[in-house]
């Protein structure tokens, strides 16, 4: 974004980089019809995964990200699975899927433990007791090894969708 | 990681669903939980399986049984995995 003032810089983190294997985790994975506990490795065993960390559902960045995913046809690709993750509850995810008109799946992680595992925690100023993941994208192969990583260094920030798409094409 | 044979379609905080869960746990059965929405109209996955939108509903891959209504399910679990099934299989 081009803004006529400084935005908030986020501190450096030790998040997974290209070539690293990301930690496995299990959380409720919410689809349009039900949710159930699914591990990340279960998904990567099927096909490469594009893991999108975004702000809580209802915040405009979550809306923008899923509009992009939908409009770019990323959910129609059969070479990888685009999977979201936010701290919102499964019920909120169900509403997001309906509101955005997408047949996608999102992990629900209200305690933000996955962001802790990935070292991408974003403590939210003015919302006491709540943290969420930094905006981040990890393109993972079948072994959960990072092929492309982007983690926000400013707040707010958005992924470079062209770069992500290029990484998906390289899978 | 092998998938459990039994899938339970359930609604959070639904006492009829918890009744089934208690019985599954009593028989030490491995099962997977799939949570559905409170609105009946949003339960197409369940409707496709059982013809009804009510939960609990279970699918038991080891016997090929699909059924809903907690009374029926508990009865089925007893007959298949409980005391009454002992000695037979």
């Amino acid at each position: 974004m081009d803004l006529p003032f400084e935005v908030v810089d986020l501190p450096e983190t030790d998040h997974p980089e290209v070539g690293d294997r990301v930690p496995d985790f299990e959380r409720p994975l919410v689809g349009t019809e039900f949710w159930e506990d699914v591990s990340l490795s279960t998904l990567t065993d099927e096909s490469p995964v594009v893991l999108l960390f975004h702000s809580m559902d209802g915040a405009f960045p979550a809306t923008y990200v899923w509009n992009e995913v939908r409009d770019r046809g990323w959910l129609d690709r059969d070479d990888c699975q685009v999977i979201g993750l936010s701290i919102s509850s499964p019920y909120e995810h169900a509403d997001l899927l309906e509101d955005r008109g997408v047949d996608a799946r999102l992990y629900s992680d209200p305690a933000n433990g996955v962001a802790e595992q990935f070292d991408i925690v974003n403590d939210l100023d003015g919302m006491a007791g709540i943290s969420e993941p930094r905006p981040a994208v990890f393109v993972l192969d079948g072994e959960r090894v990072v092929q492309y990583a982007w983690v926000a260094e400013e707040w707010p920030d958005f992924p470079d969708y062209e770069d992500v798409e290029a990484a998906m094409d390289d899978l | 990681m092998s998938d459990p044979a039994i899938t339970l379609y359930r609604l959070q905080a639904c006492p009829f669903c918890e009744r089934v869960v208690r019985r599954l746990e009593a028989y030490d059965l491995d099962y997977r939980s799939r949570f559905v929405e409170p609105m009946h109209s949003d339960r197409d996955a369940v409707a496709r399986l059982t013809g009804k939108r009510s939960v609990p509903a279970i699918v038991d891959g080891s016997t090929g049984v699909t059924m809903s209504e907690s009374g029926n399910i508990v009865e089925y679990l007893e007959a298949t995995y409980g005391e009454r099934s002992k000695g037979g299989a």
Side-chain angles (χ1 to χ4, degrees):
Chain A
M1 284 189 291
D2 290 321
L3 296 170
F5 51 83
E6 295 285 306
V7 298
V8 176
D9 283 323
L10 297 171
E12 296 234 337
T13 85
D14 192 23
H15 64 77
E17 301 276 9
V18 171
D20 293 340
R21 175 178 289 188
V22 301
D24 198 12
F25 59 84
E26 183 179 51
R27 293 291 185 280
L29 184 65
V30 184
T32 52
E33 298 197 318
F34 56 81
W35 63 87
E36 63 180 331
D37 290 343
V38 176
S39 66
L40 177 63
S41 55
T42 301
L43 296 179
T44 51
D45 281 349
E46 293 165 5
S47 68
V49 167
V50 179
L51 188 58
L52 300 174
F53 291 88
H54 55 74
S55 292
M56 61 182 88
D57 304 0
F60 77 86
T63 303
Y64 282 18
V65 164
W66 281 103
N67 285 348
E68 285 282 344
V69 169
R70 180 193 63 211
D71 296 346
R72 287 172 178 271
W74 287 3
L75 298 168
D76 306 322
R77 299 176 66 120
D78 46 21
D79 54 347
C80 60
Q81 317 167 66
V82 178
I83 303 288
L85 187 151
S86 83
I87 61 168
S88 297
S89 73
Y91 301 99
E92 294 163 302
H93 279 349
D95 287 345
L96 180 149
L97 292 172
E98 187 169 345
D99 292 345
R100 296 301 108 224
V102 289
D103 186 2
R105 291 175 295 170
L106 297 92
Y107 278 114
S108 173
D109 186 26
N112 210 31
V114 177
E116 280 177 25
Q117 281 183 281
F118 280 61
D119 195 17
I120 54 169
V121 171
N122 189 18
D123 288 312
L124 295 174
D125 180 62
M127 296 195 208
I130 299 181
S131 68
E132 66 174 16
R134 291 188 189 194
V137 181
F138 295 92
V139 177
L140 308 171
D141 72 4
E143 308 290 321
R144 295 198 321 280
V145 174
V146 178
Q147 308 298 303
Y148 168 87
W150 172 80
V151 174
E153 294 172 358
E154 299 175 339
W155 172 248
D157 204 358
F158 291 87
D160 185 317
Y161 299 102
E162 298 294 331
D163 284 357
V164 177
E165 205 158 288
M168 293 160 77
D169 291 337
D170 284 343
L171 284 169
Chain B
M1 199 165 54
S2 65
D3 286 340
I6 298 176
T7 300
L8 169 65
Y9 288 82
R10 59 195 286 192
L11 174 68
Q12 187 178 4
C14 148
F16 304 98
C17 301
E18 299 307 311
R19 177 188 183 193
V20 172
V21 168
R22 278 200 305 277
R23 196 56 60 106
L24 288 165
E25 287 177 348
Y27 297 147
D28 200 22
L29 294 167
D30 199 14
Y31 64 97
R32 143 173 55 196
S33 292
R34 288 184 166 171
F35 287 86
V36 301
E37 299 258 354
M39 290 286 289
H40 275 71
S41 56
D42 287 338
R43 296 184 193 163
D44 290 340
V46 179
R48 278 197 306 277
L49 285 167
T50 67
K52 287 181 279 195
R53 293 177 193 277
S54 66
V55 290
I58 66 161
V59 178
D60 187 345
S62 61
T63 59
V65 162
T66 298
M67 60 166 54
S68 49
E69 305 204 349
S70 66
N72 292 342
I73 295 171
V74 164
E75 178 86 358
Y76 161 77
L77 293 175
E78 273 174 9
T80 312
Y81 301 105
E83 289 299 324
R84 280 193 280 151
S85 72
K86 297 252 171 77

